[in-house]
Short mmCIF file of all heavy atoms in Angstrom, two decimals:
data_model
loop_
_atom_site.label_atom_id
_atom_site.label_comp_id
_atom_site.label_asym_id
_atom_site.label_seq_id
_atom_site.Cartn_x
_atom_site.Cartn_y
_atom_site.Cartn_z
N GLU A 584 111.42 39.10 122.95
CA GLU A 584 111.39 37.65 122.83
C GLU A 584 112.16 37.18 121.60
O GLU A 584 112.38 37.95 120.66
CB GLU A 584 109.94 37.14 122.77
CG GLU A 584 109.18 37.42 124.06
CD GLU A 584 107.67 37.23 123.92
OE1 GLU A 584 107.19 36.91 122.81
OE2 GLU A 584 106.97 37.41 124.94
N LEU A 585 112.55 35.92 121.61
CA LEU A 585 113.27 35.31 120.50
C LEU A 585 112.65 33.95 120.18
O LEU A 585 111.95 33.37 121.02
CB LEU A 585 114.75 35.11 120.85
CG LEU A 585 115.58 36.36 121.15
CD1 LEU A 585 116.95 35.97 121.73
CD2 LEU A 585 115.77 37.20 119.90
N LEU A 586 112.93 33.47 118.98
CA LEU A 586 112.51 32.12 118.59
C LEU A 586 113.76 31.28 118.43
O LEU A 586 114.63 31.58 117.60
CB LEU A 586 111.73 32.16 117.27
CG LEU A 586 111.34 30.81 116.68
CD1 LEU A 586 110.40 30.05 117.61
CD2 LEU A 586 110.72 30.97 115.30
N GLU A 587 113.87 30.24 119.23
CA GLU A 587 114.99 29.31 119.14
C GLU A 587 114.65 28.26 118.08
O GLU A 587 113.63 27.58 118.18
CB GLU A 587 115.24 28.65 120.50
CG GLU A 587 116.39 27.67 120.49
CD GLU A 587 116.46 26.84 121.77
OE1 GLU A 587 115.72 27.13 122.71
OE2 GLU A 587 117.28 25.90 121.80
N VAL A 588 115.52 28.14 117.07
CA VAL A 588 115.27 27.25 115.94
C VAL A 588 116.31 26.14 115.95
O VAL A 588 117.51 26.40 115.95
CB VAL A 588 115.35 28.03 114.61
CG1 VAL A 588 115.12 27.09 113.43
CG2 VAL A 588 114.35 29.17 114.58
N THR A 589 115.85 24.89 115.96
CA THR A 589 116.73 23.73 115.85
C THR A 589 116.12 22.76 114.84
O THR A 589 114.95 22.90 114.47
CB THR A 589 116.92 23.00 117.21
OG1 THR A 589 115.78 22.17 117.45
CG2 THR A 589 117.08 23.99 118.36
N PRO A 590 116.89 21.77 114.37
CA PRO A 590 116.32 20.81 113.42
C PRO A 590 115.11 20.05 113.96
O PRO A 590 114.30 19.55 113.18
CB PRO A 590 117.49 19.86 113.14
CG PRO A 590 118.71 20.67 113.40
CD PRO A 590 118.35 21.57 114.54
N LYS A 591 114.99 19.97 115.28
CA LYS A 591 113.90 19.17 115.86
C LYS A 591 112.85 19.98 116.58
O LYS A 591 111.78 19.45 116.92
CB LYS A 591 114.50 18.15 116.85
CG LYS A 591 115.41 17.13 116.21
CD LYS A 591 115.93 16.14 117.25
CE LYS A 591 116.86 15.11 116.61
NZ LYS A 591 117.41 14.16 117.60
N ALA A 592 113.10 21.25 116.85
CA ALA A 592 112.16 22.00 117.68
C ALA A 592 112.16 23.49 117.35
O ALA A 592 113.14 24.03 116.84
CB ALA A 592 112.50 21.81 119.17
N LEU A 593 111.03 24.13 117.66
CA LEU A 593 110.90 25.59 117.65
C LEU A 593 110.49 25.98 119.06
O LEU A 593 109.44 25.54 119.56
CB LEU A 593 109.83 26.04 116.65
CG LEU A 593 110.08 25.73 115.18
CD1 LEU A 593 108.84 26.06 114.36
CD2 LEU A 593 111.27 26.53 114.65
N ARG A 594 111.30 26.79 119.73
CA ARG A 594 111.01 27.16 121.12
C ARG A 594 110.94 28.68 121.24
O ARG A 594 111.87 29.39 120.85
CB ARG A 594 112.08 26.63 122.07
CG ARG A 594 112.28 25.13 122.04
CD ARG A 594 113.27 24.69 123.12
NE ARG A 594 113.61 23.29 122.99
CZ ARG A 594 114.71 22.81 122.41
NH1 ARG A 594 115.59 23.68 121.90
NH2 ARG A 594 114.94 21.53 122.33
N LEU A 595 109.84 29.16 121.78
CA LEU A 595 109.71 30.58 122.08
C LEU A 595 110.37 30.84 123.42
O LEU A 595 110.23 30.05 124.37
CB LEU A 595 108.23 30.96 122.14
CG LEU A 595 107.45 30.82 120.82
CD1 LEU A 595 105.96 30.81 121.09
CD2 LEU A 595 107.80 31.96 119.88
N ARG A 596 111.07 31.96 123.52
CA ARG A 596 111.80 32.25 124.76
C ARG A 596 111.91 33.75 124.95
O ARG A 596 111.74 34.54 124.02
CB ARG A 596 113.21 31.65 124.72
CG ARG A 596 113.98 32.01 123.47
CD ARG A 596 115.47 31.85 123.64
NE ARG A 596 116.03 32.89 124.48
CZ ARG A 596 117.34 33.03 124.72
NH1 ARG A 596 118.20 32.22 124.18
NH2 ARG A 596 117.77 34.00 125.49
N LYS A 597 112.18 34.16 126.16
CA LYS A 597 112.47 35.55 126.46
C LYS A 597 113.92 35.86 126.09
O LYS A 597 114.80 34.99 126.16
CB LYS A 597 112.23 35.84 127.95
CG LYS A 597 110.77 35.89 128.34
CD LYS A 597 110.09 37.08 127.69
CE LYS A 597 108.63 37.21 128.07
NZ LYS A 597 107.99 38.36 127.42
N ARG A 598 114.17 37.09 125.67
CA ARG A 598 115.54 37.47 125.32
C ARG A 598 116.46 37.33 126.53
O ARG A 598 117.59 36.86 126.42
CB ARG A 598 115.55 38.91 124.80
CG ARG A 598 116.84 39.32 124.12
CD ARG A 598 116.73 40.76 123.64
NE ARG A 598 115.77 40.91 122.57
CZ ARG A 598 116.06 40.80 121.28
NH1 ARG A 598 117.30 40.51 120.91
NH2 ARG A 598 115.13 40.99 120.36
N TYR A 599 115.95 37.74 127.69
CA TYR A 599 116.68 37.57 128.96
C TYR A 599 115.99 36.45 129.73
O TYR A 599 114.81 36.56 130.08
CB TYR A 599 116.68 38.86 129.77
CG TYR A 599 117.37 40.01 129.06
CD1 TYR A 599 116.64 40.93 128.32
CD2 TYR A 599 118.75 40.14 129.10
CE1 TYR A 599 117.25 41.97 127.65
CE2 TYR A 599 119.39 41.18 128.43
CZ TYR A 599 118.64 42.08 127.70
OH TYR A 599 119.26 43.11 127.03
N LEU A 600 116.72 35.37 130.00
CA LEU A 600 116.09 34.18 130.56
C LEU A 600 115.77 34.32 132.04
O LEU A 600 114.73 33.86 132.51
CB LEU A 600 117.01 32.96 130.33
CG LEU A 600 117.28 32.60 128.86
CD1 LEU A 600 118.22 31.40 128.77
CD2 LEU A 600 115.98 32.32 128.13
N SER A 601 116.64 34.96 132.79
CA SER A 601 116.44 35.09 134.24
C SER A 601 115.37 36.13 134.53
O SER A 601 115.31 37.20 133.91
CB SER A 601 117.76 35.47 134.91
OG SER A 601 117.54 35.98 136.19
N GLN A 602 114.53 35.83 135.51
CA GLN A 602 113.48 36.77 135.90
C GLN A 602 114.08 38.06 136.45
O GLN A 602 113.57 39.16 136.21
CB GLN A 602 112.56 36.13 136.95
CG GLN A 602 111.26 36.88 137.16
CD GLN A 602 110.25 36.07 137.95
OE1 GLN A 602 110.46 34.89 138.21
NE2 GLN A 602 109.16 36.69 138.35
N ASP A 603 115.19 37.94 137.18
CA ASP A 603 115.87 39.12 137.71
C ASP A 603 116.41 39.99 136.56
O ASP A 603 116.30 41.21 136.58
CB ASP A 603 117.03 38.71 138.63
CG ASP A 603 116.53 38.09 139.93
OD1 ASP A 603 115.34 38.33 140.28
OD2 ASP A 603 117.30 37.37 140.58
N GLU A 604 117.00 39.33 135.54
CA GLU A 604 117.52 40.08 134.38
C GLU A 604 116.40 40.83 133.67
O GLU A 604 116.57 41.97 133.24
CB GLU A 604 118.19 39.11 133.40
CG GLU A 604 119.56 38.62 133.83
CD GLU A 604 120.66 39.62 133.47
OE1 GLU A 604 120.41 40.47 132.60
OE2 GLU A 604 121.73 39.56 134.08
N ARG A 605 115.26 40.17 133.51
CA ARG A 605 114.13 40.81 132.83
C ARG A 605 113.62 42.01 133.62
O ARG A 605 113.28 43.05 133.04
CB ARG A 605 112.99 39.80 132.60
CG ARG A 605 113.35 38.69 131.64
CD ARG A 605 112.11 37.97 131.12
NE ARG A 605 111.37 37.28 132.17
CZ ARG A 605 111.65 36.06 132.61
NH1 ARG A 605 112.66 35.39 132.09
NH2 ARG A 605 110.91 35.49 133.55
N ALA A 606 113.59 41.88 134.93
CA ALA A 606 113.14 42.99 135.78
C ALA A 606 114.10 44.17 135.67
O ALA A 606 113.68 45.34 135.56
CB ALA A 606 113.02 42.53 137.23
N LYS A 607 115.42 43.89 135.66
CA LYS A 607 116.40 44.97 135.54
C LYS A 607 116.29 45.66 134.18
O LYS A 607 116.36 46.88 134.08
CB LYS A 607 117.82 44.40 135.72
CG LYS A 607 118.14 43.94 137.14
CD LYS A 607 119.52 43.31 137.19
CE LYS A 607 119.82 42.78 138.60
NZ LYS A 607 121.13 42.08 138.65
N GLN A 608 116.12 44.85 133.12
CA GLN A 608 116.01 45.42 131.78
C GLN A 608 114.77 46.28 131.64
O GLN A 608 114.79 47.34 131.01
CB GLN A 608 115.99 44.28 130.74
CG GLN A 608 116.04 44.75 129.30
CD GLN A 608 117.30 45.53 128.98
OE1 GLN A 608 118.35 45.30 129.58
NE2 GLN A 608 117.20 46.46 128.04
N LYS A 609 113.66 45.84 132.25
CA LYS A 609 112.43 46.63 132.19
C LYS A 609 112.61 47.96 132.92
O LYS A 609 112.14 49.01 132.48
CB LYS A 609 111.28 45.84 132.81
CG LYS A 609 109.92 46.54 132.67
CD LYS A 609 108.80 45.68 133.23
CE LYS A 609 107.45 46.36 132.97
NZ LYS A 609 107.35 47.71 133.48
N LYS A 610 113.32 47.91 134.03
CA LYS A 610 113.57 49.14 134.79
C LYS A 610 114.40 50.12 133.96
O LYS A 610 114.11 51.32 133.91
CB LYS A 610 114.29 48.80 136.10
CG LYS A 610 114.47 50.00 137.02
CD LYS A 610 115.11 49.57 138.34
CE LYS A 610 115.30 50.77 139.25
NZ LYS A 610 115.94 50.37 140.54
N ARG A 611 115.43 49.59 133.25
CA ARG A 611 116.25 50.45 132.40
C ARG A 611 115.42 51.05 131.27
O ARG A 611 115.56 52.23 130.94
CB ARG A 611 117.42 49.65 131.80
CG ARG A 611 118.45 49.17 132.80
CD ARG A 611 119.68 48.63 132.09
NE ARG A 611 120.46 47.77 132.97
CZ ARG A 611 120.47 46.45 132.92
NH1 ARG A 611 119.74 45.83 132.01
NH2 ARG A 611 121.19 45.74 133.75
N SER A 612 114.55 50.25 130.68
CA SER A 612 113.71 50.74 129.58
C SER A 612 112.76 51.82 130.05
O SER A 612 112.56 52.84 129.37
CB SER A 612 112.91 49.57 128.97
OG SER A 612 113.78 48.60 128.46
N ASP A 613 112.17 51.62 131.23
CA ASP A 613 111.25 52.62 131.78
C ASP A 613 111.97 53.93 132.08
O ASP A 613 111.44 55.02 131.83
CB ASP A 613 110.59 52.08 133.06
CG ASP A 613 109.64 50.93 132.78
OD1 ASP A 613 109.24 50.77 131.60
OD2 ASP A 613 109.30 50.19 133.73
N GLN A 614 113.20 53.82 132.59
CA GLN A 614 113.98 55.03 132.89
C GLN A 614 114.34 55.77 131.60
O GLN A 614 114.26 57.00 131.53
CB GLN A 614 115.25 54.65 133.66
CG GLN A 614 114.99 54.20 135.09
CD GLN A 614 116.24 53.67 135.78
OE1 GLN A 614 117.24 53.39 135.13
NE2 GLN A 614 116.19 53.53 137.10
N ALA A 615 114.73 55.01 130.55
CA ALA A 615 115.07 55.64 129.26
C ALA A 615 113.86 56.31 128.65
O ALA A 615 113.95 57.42 128.10
CB ALA A 615 115.62 54.57 128.31
N ALA A 616 112.68 55.67 128.77
CA ALA A 616 111.45 56.27 128.23
C ALA A 616 111.09 57.54 128.98
O ALA A 616 110.64 58.53 128.39
CB ALA A 616 110.30 55.26 128.32
#
Side-chain angles (χ1 to χ4, degrees):
E584 296 167 358
L585 298 170
L586 175 63
E587 180 190 352
V588 179
T589 79
K591 296 181 180 178
L593 297 172
R594 303 185 187 98
L595 296 163
R596 51 160 287 185
K597 287 293 182 181
R598 193 179 293 270
Y599 299 96
L600 298 179
S601 162
Q602 194 167 352
D603 290 340
E604 284 277 341
R605 294 197 296 275
K607 290 176 183 176
Q608 186 61 29
K609 186 177 184 305
K610 185 176 180 181
R611 293 191 199 104
S612 299
D613 292 342
Q614 289 174 345

